[in-house]
Amino acid sequence: DTGVSQDPRHKITKRGQNVTFRCDPISEHNRLYWYRQTLGQGPEFLTYFQNEAQLEKSRLLSDRFSAERPKGSFSTLEIQRTEQGDSAMYLCASSPQIWLGRGETQYFGPGTRLLVL
Amino acid sequence: GDSVTQMEGPVTLSEEAFLTINCTYTATGYPSLFWYVQYPGEGLQLLLKATKADDKGSNKGFEATYRKETTSFHLEKGSVQVSDSAVYFCALEMTGGFKTIFGAGTRLFVKA
């Protein structure tokens, strides 16, 4: 069990550039979540996938943000035309689907820290 | 909308002291409740959870009881250790979906 991995771990970019982050969930987990965490705050939900279907999306996820999980395995989160306010830690988590699927533990990756200059 | 409020930190305790970190929530329906912990230099990990009213979650000497009447899920430990120093996050999974809402986190320092 290699856990949830994220790439890159750190990203520095200039305002206006596009960035893409990758998340590889635990292999047998069909649920995948993206969060954003700023300093001193808890993770804020961005979006949720069940297999390849994006089932929930936060209003925080503006038109500049898009997430995909094309084959129900790894996922990508793209931010277009980055702004300084996008600077944060972007966390990915995965969980298994068990009967009724409520209250399952989420397993978090180490995060990608984004700094927009 | 649904929300989670937890006590502000930092909380500083001496080793073997009793710990309480308060967490209250606002939610429709019957959410599942969680405590996640982030140790220094590590990622978030589940500490304990409860999926219905009056359930008690427990792990590593920590306990929390899902109290629907007071909409609370306070974290307690009878005797903290230096190794418990971390940031603790209370969270709820919304009814009818899988969106999870986290509190702002409470940093705990335990002195030897």
Side-chain angles (χ1 to χ4, degrees):
Chain A
D1 180 2
T2 57
V4 178
S5 61
Q6 294 186 243
D7 184 70
R9 295 290 304 277
H10 300 88
K11 179 71 177 178
I12 300 174
T13 191
K14 293 182 179 178
R15 186 163 50 96
Q17 298 295 304
N18 299 344
V19 294
T20 299
F21 308 142
R22 176 180 171 123
C23 171
D24 286 272
I26 294 171
S27 59
E28 64 269 24
H29 289 183
N30 62 347
R31 294 180 175 157
L32 188 146
Y33 311 76
W34 284 100
Y35 295 88
R36 180 173 66 188
Q37 185 176 22
T38 53
L39 198 62
Q41 298 299 313
E44 294 176 284
F45 173 86
L46 292 178
T47 191
Y48 158 74
F49 289 87
Q50 179 140 337
N51 299 311
E52 65 275 11
Q54 187 174 21
L55 298 184
E56 290 193 63
K57 189 174 173 180
S58 167
R59 284 172 292 180
L60 290 173
L61 218 62
S62 74
D63 291 345
R64 298 185 298 105
F65 288 71
S66 62
E68 294 183 341
R69 194 182 182 198
K71 296 182 180 179
S73 56
F74 74 91
S75 176
T76 58
L77 177 69
E78 181 183 17
I79 308 174
Q80 297 182 328
R81 304 181 303 282
T82 53
E83 302 172 356
Q84 289 183 326
D86 297 331
S87 296
M89 176 76 86
Y90 289 84
L91 297 171
C92 176
S94 70
S95 69
Q97 180 174 3
I98 301 176
W99 185 68
L100 292 184
R102 306 298 308 165
E104 295 308 326
T105 300
Q106 293 182 37
Y107 296 81
F108 283 82
T112 295
R113 185 170 295 281
L114 173 66
L115 177 61
V116 182
L117 302 176
Chain B
D2 293 13
S3 65
V4 173
T5 303
Q6 60 182 107
M7 64 187 287
E8 290 187 19
V11 174
T12 303
L13 296 174
S14 297
E15 210 167 19
E16 299 183 3
F18 184 85
L19 168 71
T20 299
I21 300 178
N22 291 336
C23 172
T24 57
Y25 68 91
T26 302
T28 55
Y30 303 93
S32 297
L33 300 175
F34 306 80
W35 278 100
Y36 282 85
V37 59
Q38 187 166 30
Y39 297 104
E42 298 185 17
L44 276 162
Q45 57 186 278
L46 179 74
L47 180 60
L48 54 83
K49 64 181 179 182
T51 57
K52 61 183 187 296
D54 300 325
D55 270 3
K56 178 186 285 187
S58 61
N59 186 27
K60 299 182 181 180
F62 290 89
E63 293 183 340
T65 301
Y66 188 161
R67 301 286 189 199
K68 190 164 178 63
E69 64 275 13
T70 54
T71 62
S72 64
F73 193 54
H74 303 321
L75 182 68
E76 296 183 336
K77 186 175 186 181
S79 176
V80 294
Q81 305 300 312
V82 172
S83 57
D84 294 326
S85 298
V87 182
Y88 293 82
F89 294 93
C90 184
L92 71 81
E93 180 187 84
M94 292 173 62
T95 306
F98 295 95
K99 179 177 178 177
T100 302
I101 298 173
F102 284 78
T106 302
R107 183 174 295 277
L108 171 67
F109 293 105
V110 181
K111 303 180 297 184

